[in-house]
Amino acid sequence: MVSLAAPFVIATGVAGISEQLYRYAFNRVNKVPETSKEKQKYADAYYGYVDWLRNQPTQVWHLHEDDAAHKLAATYLAADVQTTDTVIISHGYKGNGETMANYAKMFHELGYNVLLPDDRAHGRSAGRYITFGWLDRLDYLDWIQRVIEDTGQDARIVLFGVSMGGATVEMMSGEVLPEQVRCIIADCGYSSIDDELVYLLKRNFHLPKYPFLPAVNAINQRKQGFSLTQVSSAEQLKRNRRPIFFIHGEKDIFVPAEMLAANYDATQGPKEKWVVKDATHAESFWINPAAYQQHVKQFLDQYLTYRLPQE
């Protein structure tokens, strides 16, 4: 009887642990978690950027405003001097548009309109579950159209994201994008959520891929309707032809450097990369904001006028 019961006990344990893992990783959070200890030294500067953004003449934009279950929100900050150049900034895991205030100020200083969406299950947007950029990439297609409607057909759009946001804009690159989208900047995006979860299962929880990741995937397919194996920046980048600038911290142990290599090798368009010395995950800006802005500006100066070759 003991030997017959063992598989049931094991299966129940796997199911229970997998449900806990899913809730931990995918469930909506309504409060931005505290930053890691090594980034506490940037707290004063971070809140200075947030205060700056809150004092700007911003607008709140919405998608699906009459559908409570799918309503999305974004903060829009127009440039001081009227322009058709806009950056759409994609935030990180369990953040929101406001947590990207430092990047908003950087692009504002460069003369861009700035759009800061809150992803599904983040900030002011609806949603129960985090999609790790996969369904968000489709929402951003709608945000792109909203920018074009507001700015005009001569709009020039930059896609920018950090961490999960970096992966989101990388995954957007494989979609059919309007010609107004000129280039992409991705800071420390993962190559696939499958690989990222395997890495974090081992590093944070000391758990193997099998049987836990397939169980978490089954839960996600039931709740969100897609397989985690689909959520791949590297696969999407194989269809990309636009210029892309990859930024990655040299000492990133959350999204390891192997993922940068996979994404860089996958993309088919003009590409550049900058590995930032001594930077941990999503720390590249904070180590030297002026150097970060200069690298971004150099890339944009070269590629904002880029148009896809006619096939």
Side-chain angles (χ1 to χ4, degrees), residues 22 129 134-135 217-228 230:
Y22 190 85
Y129 304 112
W134 186 243
L135 300 184
N217 187 32
I219 296 167
N220 191 68
Q221 286 182 301
R222 186 172 73 249
K223 291 181 181 292
Q224 299 208 73
F226 64 87
S227 170
L228 298 179
Q230 295 174 261

Side-chain angles (χ1 to χ4, degrees), residues 134-150:
W134 186 243
L135 300 184
D136 304 301
R137 84 193 195 285
L138 304 178
D139 298 330
Y140 278 82
L141 299 180
D142 291 334
W143 287 124
I144 289 169
Q145 291 303 322
R146 179 73 172 80
V147 167
I148 295 171
E149 289 169 11
D150 185 80

Side-chain angles (χ1 to χ4, degrees), residues 2-3 11 19 23-24 42 59 73 89 96 116-117 127 146 180 188 207 210 214 239 246 260 283 287 305 309:
V2 173
S3 61
E19 285 283 356
R23 287 197 295 271
Y24 174 82
Y42 305 121
Q59 304 169 21
I89 297 178
N96 56 48
L116 298 158
R146 179 73 172 80
Q180 286 88 350
C188 61
L207 293 173
Y210 298 104
R239 294 193 289 275
F246 298 97
L260 166 64
E283 193 185 18
I287 282 183
T305 58

Side-chain angles (χ1 to χ4, degrees), residues 224-291:
Q224 299 208 73
F226 64 87
S227 170
L228 298 179
T229 59
Q230 295 174 261
V231 187
S232 173
S233 300
E235 286 301 313
Q236 290 286 102
L237 283 162
K238 289 178 181 178
R239 294 193 289 275
N240 178 54
R241 298 294 183 274
R242 283 174 171 78
I244 184 165
F245 182 28
F246 298 97
I247 302 170
H248 214 96
E250 177 192 37
K251 295 184 177 179
D252 193 335
I253 58 171
F254 190 75
V255 176
E258 293 81 4
M259 294 194 178
L260 166 64
N263 288 337
Y264 185 84
D265 290 345
T267 189
Q268 301 300 302
K271 53 188 173 182
E272 297 180 11
K273 62 182 174 181
W274 177 35
V275 178
V276 180
K277 183 176 174 58
D278 294 327
T280 59
H281 185 65
E283 193 185 18
S284 296
F285 173 92
W286 298 103
I287 282 183
N288 191 333

Side-chain angles (χ1 to χ4, degrees), residues 84-135:
T84 58
D85 296 339
T86 302
V87 60
I88 301 177
I89 297 178
S90 182
H91 65 75
Y93 177 63
K94 295 186 178 178
N96 56 48
E98 188 177 79
T99 63
M100 306 298 279
N102 55 313
Y103 303 104
K105 189 171 189 290
M106 176 185 73
F107 281 104
H108 187 71
E109 289 175 350
L110 292 173
Y112 286 76
N113 306 312
V114 178
L115 185 67
L116 298 158
D118 291 350
D119 289 359
R120 297 183 186 206
H122 293 81
R124 299 157 298 176
S125 292
R128 295 180 60 189
Y129 304 112
I130 296 169
T131 85
F132 287 91
W134 186 243
L135 300 184

Side-chain angles (χ1 to χ4, degrees), residues 5 50 236 250 289 298 308:
V50 171
Q236 290 286 102
E250 177 192 37
Q298 288 175 351
L308 289 176

